[in-house]
Amino acid sequence: MKRCRICDGPVRETLDLGRQPLSDAFIDPTAPPGPDGEFFFRLGVGACESCTMVQLVEAVPRERMFHHDYPYRSSRSDRMREHFERTARTLLDGVRAGPDPFVVEIGCNDGAMLAAIDTAGVRSLGVDPSGRAAAVAARNGLRVRTDFFEESSAASIRAAEGPADLIYSANTISHIPYLGSVFRGVDRLLAPDGLFVFEDPYLGDILDRSAFDQIIDEHFYFFTVRSVRATARRFGFELVDVERLPVHGGEIRCTVARAGRRPPAPAVAALLAREDALGRTSGPAFRGLATAARRIRDDLLTLLRTLRADGRRVVGYGATAKSATVLNYCGIGPGLVPFVCDSTPEKQGRLTPGSHLPVRPPAAFSDPYPDYAVLFAWNHAQEIMMKEQAFHAAGGRWILYVPDVHLV
Ligand code: SAH
Ligand code: TMP
Ligand code: ZN
């Protein structure tokens, strides 16, 4: 049996999504293939029987995922930019009381959130190992340390900049297997009354929506109130507030303080009770997800093969990291989905990992419109459907696959 990366307890594997490529390793078809070809690993998930933390059973070395050319860009979504602006306004209200407040963002990427903090006039520093994304933030006048946040980098930030009143992170803490080092880093860097706030996909929403595509190499942990509270306590902190967020298909925002500094808000106990009542981390919950994944795979393949047989044109929309899990788990290649549109210049002209669908700019979508489009970026459905209203008006239909395969 595998051991928990946080508490060393036994982790029982409950869901196996098979051999998968790195979800953001888009292939440059013009570059000569490397000597080892594409990197694959086995994507399996289990829950720790001791602390309940749900986690991957195999960790991919961090430098293989988060390197200079990591292609994800937070700023591609207008809705996420608005989300960060709103978040900055809310969080900074509590930070601005002191004379020279200081905010650190873990995983700042291209600076979508840092920009909002900067606009508010608060001193900030982003930390992110993805050099090209960090350079975008730096070009916009934001301060970024191109580095992994962990105990050692946190200590050197503390020495150079003083304590942080707020350490904020979105869609990054769940990406970090070495969470112990992160919490020790937070311990070194955070002011005595400071807050550590992070938001990541919520396991409850993943199970509710059968969103098995949230399981990718980069998403190492799947948080619940119970597992985050146990983790925080282990490192001398307390989970003092939780909030569910509608972004990215359902997330949880966790607010963590040093133990004994703040009483937990009622929301913590309320959501914990709900999780326990629903058996969120139990074996049956995962068996349900495994069954749903197989059903979605069968239904999606049947639909795509029928459409092909009927001579319908189908393309993909959103070359998301999540799409790697769906495409490779279902064995979908360019024969069923000839290309996928994506607004990220760093992904365009490349091939999706493992499945090798060409990624083309959104302009290719209307040239001419296909009959059907598989919405791999289903977490941005509202924004994308609004942008591409003309597709639907022209008779085009979206194919969604969570919580089940259906047409919109
Ligand atoms: N916060 C942004 C970006 C999320 S993508 C958003 O919500 O849109 C995850 C980011 O975490 C990537 O840019 C990756 O380079 C970064 N990352 C991964 N491990 C990290 C670590 N240990 N410290 C800081 N950033 C990290
Ligand atoms: P994400 O689900 O990890 O945020 O990735 C979303 C992907 O979809 C990203 O590659 C950008 C792309 N995208 C578009 O192509 N058009 C859009 O309107 C939006 C919001 C995202
Ligand atoms: Zn554990």
PDB file of all heavy atoms in Angstrom, residues 72 76-77 248 317-322 341-344 347 377 379-380 383-384 387, ligand 2:
ATOM      1  N   TYR A  72       0.133  27.264 -19.189  1.00  0.00           N
ATOM      2  CA  TYR A  72      -1.140  27.808 -18.682  1.00  0.00           C
ATOM      3  C   TYR A  72      -1.008  29.301 -18.382  1.00  0.00           C
ATOM      4  O   TYR A  72       0.008  29.740 -17.852  1.00  0.00           O
ATOM      5  CB  TYR A  72      -1.584  27.064 -17.413  1.00  0.00           C
ATOM      6  CG  TYR A  72      -2.955  27.510 -16.949  1.00  0.00           C
ATOM      7  CD1 TYR A  72      -4.088  27.167 -17.659  1.00  0.00           C
ATOM      8  CD2 TYR A  72      -3.098  28.319 -15.822  1.00  0.00           C
ATOM      9  CE1 TYR A  72      -5.354  27.603 -17.255  1.00  0.00           C
ATOM     10  CE2 TYR A  72      -4.356  28.753 -15.407  1.00  0.00           C
ATOM     11  CZ  TYR A  72      -5.477  28.388 -16.125  1.00  0.00           C
ATOM     12  OH  TYR A  72      -6.723  28.825 -15.727  1.00  0.00           O
ATOM     13  N   ARG A  76      -6.182  34.272 -19.420  1.00  0.00           N
ATOM     14  CA  ARG A  76      -6.977  33.933 -20.602  1.00  0.00           C
ATOM     15  C   ARG A  76      -8.469  34.017 -20.312  1.00  0.00           C
ATOM     16  O   ARG A  76      -9.274  34.085 -21.225  1.00  0.00           O
ATOM     17  CB  ARG A  76      -6.687  32.508 -21.111  1.00  0.00           C
ATOM     18  CG  ARG A  76      -5.321  32.208 -21.665  1.00  0.00           C
ATOM     19  CD  ARG A  76      -4.695  33.207 -22.561  1.00  0.00           C
ATOM     20  NE  ARG A  76      -5.543  33.775 -23.589  1.00  0.00           N
ATOM     21  CZ  ARG A  76      -5.178  34.753 -24.398  1.00  0.00           C
ATOM     22  NH1 ARG A  76      -3.980  35.280 -24.295  1.00  0.00           N
ATOM     23  NH2 ARG A  76      -5.987  35.226 -25.294  1.00  0.00           N
ATOM     24  N   SER A  77      -8.869  33.951 -19.071  1.00  0.00           N
ATOM     25  CA  SER A  77     -10.292  33.977 -18.740  1.00  0.00           C
ATOM     26  C   SER A  77     -10.678  35.315 -18.111  1.00  0.00           C
ATOM     27  O   SER A  77     -10.149  35.703 -17.066  1.00  0.00           O
ATOM     28  CB  SER A  77     -10.625  32.834 -17.773  1.00  0.00           C
ATOM     29  OG  SER A  77     -11.882  33.082 -17.161  1.00  0.00           O
ATOM     30  N   HIS A 248     -14.067  27.336 -11.734  1.00  0.00           N
ATOM     31  CA  HIS A 248     -13.375  26.094 -12.100  1.00  0.00           C
ATOM     32  C   HIS A 248     -14.146  24.825 -11.718  1.00  0.00           C
ATOM     33  O   HIS A 248     -13.560  23.823 -11.317  1.00  0.00           O
ATOM     34  CB  HIS A 248     -11.969  26.041 -11.485  1.00  0.00           C
ATOM     35  CG  HIS A 248     -10.995  26.968 -12.167  1.00  0.00           C
ATOM     36  ND1 HIS A 248     -10.830  27.016 -13.530  1.00  0.00           N
ATOM     37  CD2 HIS A 248     -10.125  27.884 -11.667  1.00  0.00           C
ATOM     38  CE1 HIS A 248      -9.909  27.916 -13.841  1.00  0.00           C
ATOM     39  NE2 HIS A 248      -9.467  28.470 -12.739  1.00  0.00           N
ATOM     40  N   TYR A 317     -13.171  22.255 -27.945  1.00  0.00           N
ATOM     41  CA  TYR A 317     -13.018  23.657 -27.537  1.00  0.00           C
ATOM     42  C   TYR A 317     -12.383  23.693 -26.151  1.00  0.00           C
ATOM     43  O   TYR A 317     -12.947  23.169 -25.189  1.00  0.00           O
ATOM     44  CB  TYR A 317     -14.375  24.363 -27.540  1.00  0.00           C
ATOM     45  CG  TYR A 317     -14.252  25.857 -27.742  1.00  0.00           C
ATOM     46  CD1 TYR A 317     -14.626  26.462 -28.932  1.00  0.00           C
ATOM     47  CD2 TYR A 317     -13.710  26.664 -26.747  1.00  0.00           C
ATOM     48  CE1 TYR A 317     -14.487  27.826 -29.138  1.00  0.00           C
ATOM     49  CE2 TYR A 317     -13.558  28.020 -26.931  1.00  0.00           C
ATOM     50  CZ  TYR A 317     -13.949  28.599 -28.127  1.00  0.00           C
ATOM     51  OH  TYR A 317     -13.803  29.948 -28.324  1.00  0.00           O
ATOM     52  N   GLY A 318     -11.194  24.329 -26.059  1.00  0.00           N
ATOM     53  CA  GLY A 318     -10.470  24.436 -24.788  1.00  0.00           C
ATOM     54  C   GLY A 318      -9.477  23.290 -24.629  1.00  0.00           C
ATOM     55  O   GLY A 318      -9.847  22.168 -24.280  1.00  0.00           O
ATOM     56  N   ALA A 319      -8.208  23.566 -24.935  1.00  0.00           N
ATOM     57  CA  ALA A 319      -7.160  22.542 -24.764  1.00  0.00           C
ATOM     58  C   ALA A 319      -6.716  22.572 -23.303  1.00  0.00           C
ATOM     59  O   ALA A 319      -5.576  22.897 -22.968  1.00  0.00           O
ATOM     60  CB  ALA A 319      -5.997  22.806 -25.709  1.00  0.00           C
ATOM     61  N   THR A 320      -7.652  22.220 -22.439  1.00  0.00           N
ATOM     62  CA  THR A 320      -7.401  22.285 -20.996  1.00  0.00           C
ATOM     63  C   THR A 320      -6.486  21.148 -20.558  1.00  0.00           C
ATOM     64  O   THR A 320      -6.383  20.113 -21.232  1.00  0.00           O
ATOM     65  CB  THR A 320      -8.730  22.122 -20.238  1.00  0.00           C
ATOM     66  OG1 THR A 320      -9.323  20.890 -20.669  1.00  0.00           O
ATOM     67  CG2 THR A 320      -9.694  23.244 -20.551  1.00  0.00           C
ATOM     68  N   ALA A 321      -5.858  21.341 -19.400  1.00  0.00           N
ATOM     69  CA  ALA A 321      -5.090  20.246 -18.797  1.00  0.00           C
ATOM     70  C   ALA A 321      -6.033  19.061 -18.544  1.00  0.00           C
ATOM     71  O   ALA A 321      -5.677  17.902 -18.784  1.00  0.00           O
ATOM     72  CB  ALA A 321      -4.449  20.732 -17.495  1.00  0.00           C
ATOM     73  N   LYS A 322      -7.261  19.379 -18.093  1.00  0.00           N
ATOM     74  CA  LYS A 322      -8.266  18.338 -17.823  1.00  0.00           C
ATOM     75  C   LYS A 322      -8.558  17.472 -19.040  1.00  0.00           C
ATOM     76  O   LYS A 322      -8.872  16.297 -18.919  1.00  0.00           O
ATOM     77  CB  LYS A 322      -9.601  18.992 -17.425  1.00  0.00           C
ATOM     78  CG  LYS A 322      -9.611  19.663 -16.098  1.00  0.00           C
ATOM     79  CD  LYS A 322     -11.016  20.155 -15.747  1.00  0.00           C
ATOM     80  CE  LYS A 322     -11.455  21.322 -16.576  1.00  0.00           C
ATOM     81  NZ  LYS A 322     -10.665  22.538 -16.378  1.00  0.00           N
ATOM     82  N   CYS A 341      -9.780  24.027 -30.395  1.00  0.00           N
ATOM     83  CA  CYS A 341      -9.487  25.461 -30.403  1.00  0.00           C
ATOM     84  C   CYS A 341      -9.112  25.915 -29.004  1.00  0.00           C
ATOM     85  O   CYS A 341      -9.707  25.459 -28.021  1.00  0.00           O
ATOM     86  CB  CYS A 341     -10.728  26.252 -30.812  1.00  0.00           C
ATOM     87  SG  CYS A 341     -11.298  25.823 -32.425  1.00  0.00           S
ATOM     88  N   ASP A 342      -8.161  26.834 -28.926  1.00  0.00           N
ATOM     89  CA  ASP A 342      -7.791  27.385 -27.627  1.00  0.00           C
ATOM     90  C   ASP A 342      -7.199  28.772 -27.835  1.00  0.00           C
ATOM     91  O   ASP A 342      -6.455  29.010 -28.784  1.00  0.00           O
ATOM     92  CB  ASP A 342      -6.777  26.484 -26.920  1.00  0.00           C
ATOM     93  CG  ASP A 342      -6.653  26.817 -25.442  1.00  0.00           C
ATOM     94  OD1 ASP A 342      -6.040  27.865 -25.110  1.00  0.00           O
ATOM     95  OD2 ASP A 342      -7.183  26.057 -24.602  1.00  0.00           O
ATOM     96  N   SER A 343      -7.527  29.670 -26.905  1.00  0.00           N
ATOM     97  CA  SER A 343      -7.101  31.067 -27.049  1.00  0.00           C
ATOM     98  C   SER A 343      -5.666  31.306 -26.570  1.00  0.00           C
ATOM     99  O   SER A 343      -5.167  32.417 -26.669  1.00  0.00           O
ATOM    100  CB  SER A 343      -8.059  31.971 -26.258  1.00  0.00           C
ATOM    101  OG  SER A 343      -7.970  31.674 -24.881  1.00  0.00           O
ATOM    102  N   THR A 344      -5.009  30.294 -26.025  1.00  0.00           N
ATOM    103  CA  THR A 344      -3.664  30.486 -25.459  1.00  0.00           C
ATOM    104  C   THR A 344      -2.596  30.381 -26.556  1.00  0.00           C
ATOM    105  O   THR A 344      -2.385  29.291 -27.105  1.00  0.00           O
ATOM    106  CB  THR A 344      -3.364  29.413 -24.390  1.00  0.00           C
ATOM    107  OG1 THR A 344      -4.507  29.255 -23.562  1.00  0.00           O
ATOM    108  CG2 THR A 344      -2.147  29.782 -23.561  1.00  0.00           C
ATOM    109  N   LYS A 347      -0.211  27.441 -26.575  1.00  0.00           N
ATOM    110  CA  LYS A 347      -0.706  26.086 -26.899  1.00  0.00           C
ATOM    111  C   LYS A 347      -0.966  25.930 -28.398  1.00  0.00           C
ATOM    112  O   LYS A 347      -0.951  24.816 -28.918  1.00  0.00           O
ATOM    113  CB  LYS A 347      -1.994  25.793 -26.105  1.00  0.00           C
ATOM    114  CG  LYS A 347      -1.786  25.745 -24.590  1.00  0.00           C
ATOM    115  CD  LYS A 347      -3.087  25.433 -23.831  1.00  0.00           C
ATOM    116  CE  LYS A 347      -2.851  25.429 -22.324  1.00  0.00           C
ATOM    117  NZ  LYS A 347      -4.090  25.143 -21.561  1.00  0.00           N
ATOM    118  N   ALA A 377     -13.336  22.798 -21.909  1.00  0.00           N
ATOM    119  CA  ALA A 377     -13.238  23.846 -20.875  1.00  0.00           C
ATOM    120  C   ALA A 377     -14.621  24.066 -20.268  1.00  0.00           C
ATOM    121  O   ALA A 377     -15.113  25.196 -20.207  1.00  0.00           O
ATOM    122  CB  ALA A 377     -12.684  25.128 -21.484  1.00  0.00           C
ATOM    123  N   ASN A 379     -15.610  24.192 -17.373  1.00  0.00           N
ATOM    124  CA  ASN A 379     -15.594  25.102 -16.222  1.00  0.00           C
ATOM    125  C   ASN A 379     -15.703  26.562 -16.655  1.00  0.00           C
ATOM    126  O   ASN A 379     -15.924  27.437 -15.825  1.00  0.00           O
ATOM    127  CB  ASN A 379     -14.344  24.892 -15.375  1.00  0.00           C
ATOM    128  CG  ASN A 379     -13.074  24.842 -16.206  1.00  0.00           C
ATOM    129  OD1 ASN A 379     -13.023  24.166 -17.237  1.00  0.00           O
ATOM    130  ND2 ASN A 379     -12.042  25.540 -15.784  1.00  0.00           N
ATOM    131  N   HIS A 380     -15.497  26.846 -17.939  1.00  0.00           N
ATOM    132  CA  HIS A 380     -15.662  28.211 -18.462  1.00  0.00           C
ATOM    133  C   HIS A 380     -16.869  28.268 -19.395  1.00  0.00           C
ATOM    134  O   HIS A 380     -16.919  29.105 -20.296  1.00  0.00           O
ATOM    135  CB  HIS A 380     -14.411  28.640 -19.240  1.00  0.00           C
ATOM    136  CG  HIS A 380     -13.146  28.644 -18.434  1.00  0.00           C
ATOM    137  ND1 HIS A 380     -12.876  29.603 -17.477  1.00  0.00           N
ATOM    138  CD2 HIS A 380     -12.077  27.813 -18.438  1.00  0.00           C
ATOM    139  CE1 HIS A 380     -11.685  29.345 -16.941  1.00  0.00           C
ATOM    140  NE2 HIS A 380     -11.183  28.272 -17.498  1.00  0.00           N
ATOM    141  N   GLU A 383     -18.740  31.655 -20.021  1.00  0.00           N
ATOM    142  CA  GLU A 383     -17.934  32.648 -20.744  1.00  0.00           C
ATOM    143  C   GLU A 383     -17.775  32.250 -22.216  1.00  0.00           C
ATOM    144  O   GLU A 383     -17.914  33.076 -23.120  1.00  0.00           O
ATOM    145  CB  GLU A 383     -16.558  32.758 -20.055  1.00  0.00           C
ATOM    146  CG  GLU A 383     -15.653  33.796 -20.655  1.00  0.00           C
ATOM    147  CD  GLU A 383     -14.363  33.999 -19.836  1.00  0.00           C
ATOM    148  OE1 GLU A 383     -14.267  33.500 -18.689  1.00  0.00           O
ATOM    149  OE2 GLU A 383     -13.449  34.667 -20.360  1.00  0.00           O
ATOM    150  N   ILE A 384     -17.509  30.982 -22.454  1.00  0.00           N
ATOM    151  CA  ILE A 384     -17.244  30.537 -23.827  1.00  0.00           C
ATOM    152  C   ILE A 384     -18.533  30.498 -24.652  1.00  0.00           C
ATOM    153  O   ILE A 384     -18.570  30.945 -25.798  1.00  0.00           O
ATOM    154  CB  ILE A 384     -16.524  29.170 -23.813  1.00  0.00           C
ATOM    155  CG1 ILE A 384     -15.093  29.362 -23.283  1.00  0.00           C
ATOM    156  CG2 ILE A 384     -16.497  28.545 -25.210  1.00  0.00           C
ATOM    157  CD1 ILE A 384     -14.314  28.080 -23.067  1.00  0.00           C
ATOM    158  N   LYS A 387     -19.318  33.957 -25.704  1.00  0.00           N
ATOM    159  CA  LYS A 387     -18.406  34.408 -26.752  1.00  0.00           C
ATOM    160  C   LYS A 387     -18.766  33.785 -28.103  1.00  0.00           C
ATOM    161  O   LYS A 387     -18.622  34.404 -29.140  1.00  0.00           O
ATOM    162  CB  LYS A 387     -17.001  33.920 -26.350  1.00  0.00           C
ATOM    163  CG  LYS A 387     -15.908  34.939 -26.475  1.00  0.00           C
ATOM    164  CD  LYS A 387     -14.579  34.336 -26.009  1.00  0.00           C
ATOM    165  CE  LYS A 387     -14.219  34.806 -24.620  1.00  0.00           C
ATOM    166  NZ  LYS A 387     -12.961  34.242 -24.119  1.00  0.00           N
TER     167      LYS A 387
HETATM  168  P1  TMP B   2      -8.567  25.810 -17.433  1.00  0.00           P
HETATM  169  O1  TMP B   2      -9.839  25.042 -17.427  1.00  0.00           O
HETATM  170  O2  TMP B   2      -7.438  25.037 -16.845  1.00  0.00           O
HETATM  171  O3  TMP B   2      -8.726  27.192 -16.845  1.00  0.00           O
HETATM  172  O4  TMP B   2      -8.164  26.004 -18.964  1.00  0.00           O
HETATM  173  C1  TMP B   2      -8.991  26.690 -19.841  1.00  0.00           C
HETATM  174  C2  TMP B   2      -8.425  26.600 -21.241  1.00  0.00           C
HETATM  175  O5  TMP B   2      -9.418  27.080 -22.169  1.00  0.00           O
HETATM  176  C3  TMP B   2      -7.188  27.460 -21.448  1.00  0.00           C
HETATM  177  O6  TMP B   2      -6.248  26.770 -22.252  1.00  0.00           O
HETATM  178  C4  TMP B   2      -7.710  28.685 -22.179  1.00  0.00           C
HETATM  179  C5  TMP B   2      -8.910  28.151 -22.931  1.00  0.00           C
HETATM  180  N1  TMP B   2      -9.970  29.152 -23.094  1.00  0.00           N
HETATM  181  C6  TMP B   2     -10.367  29.505 -24.396  1.00  0.00           C
HETATM  182  O7  TMP B   2      -9.816  28.977 -25.376  1.00  0.00           O
HETATM  183  N2  TMP B   2     -11.337  30.440 -24.539  1.00  0.00           N
HETATM  184  C7  TMP B   2     -11.943  31.044 -23.472  1.00  0.00           C
HETATM  185  O8  TMP B   2     -12.816  31.881 -23.647  1.00  0.00           O
HETATM  186  C8  TMP B   2     -11.536  30.647 -22.135  1.00  0.00           C
HETATM  187  C9  TMP B   2     -12.181  31.254 -20.938  1.00  0.00           C
HETATM  188  C10 TMP B   2     -10.547  29.700 -22.012  1.00  0.00           C
END
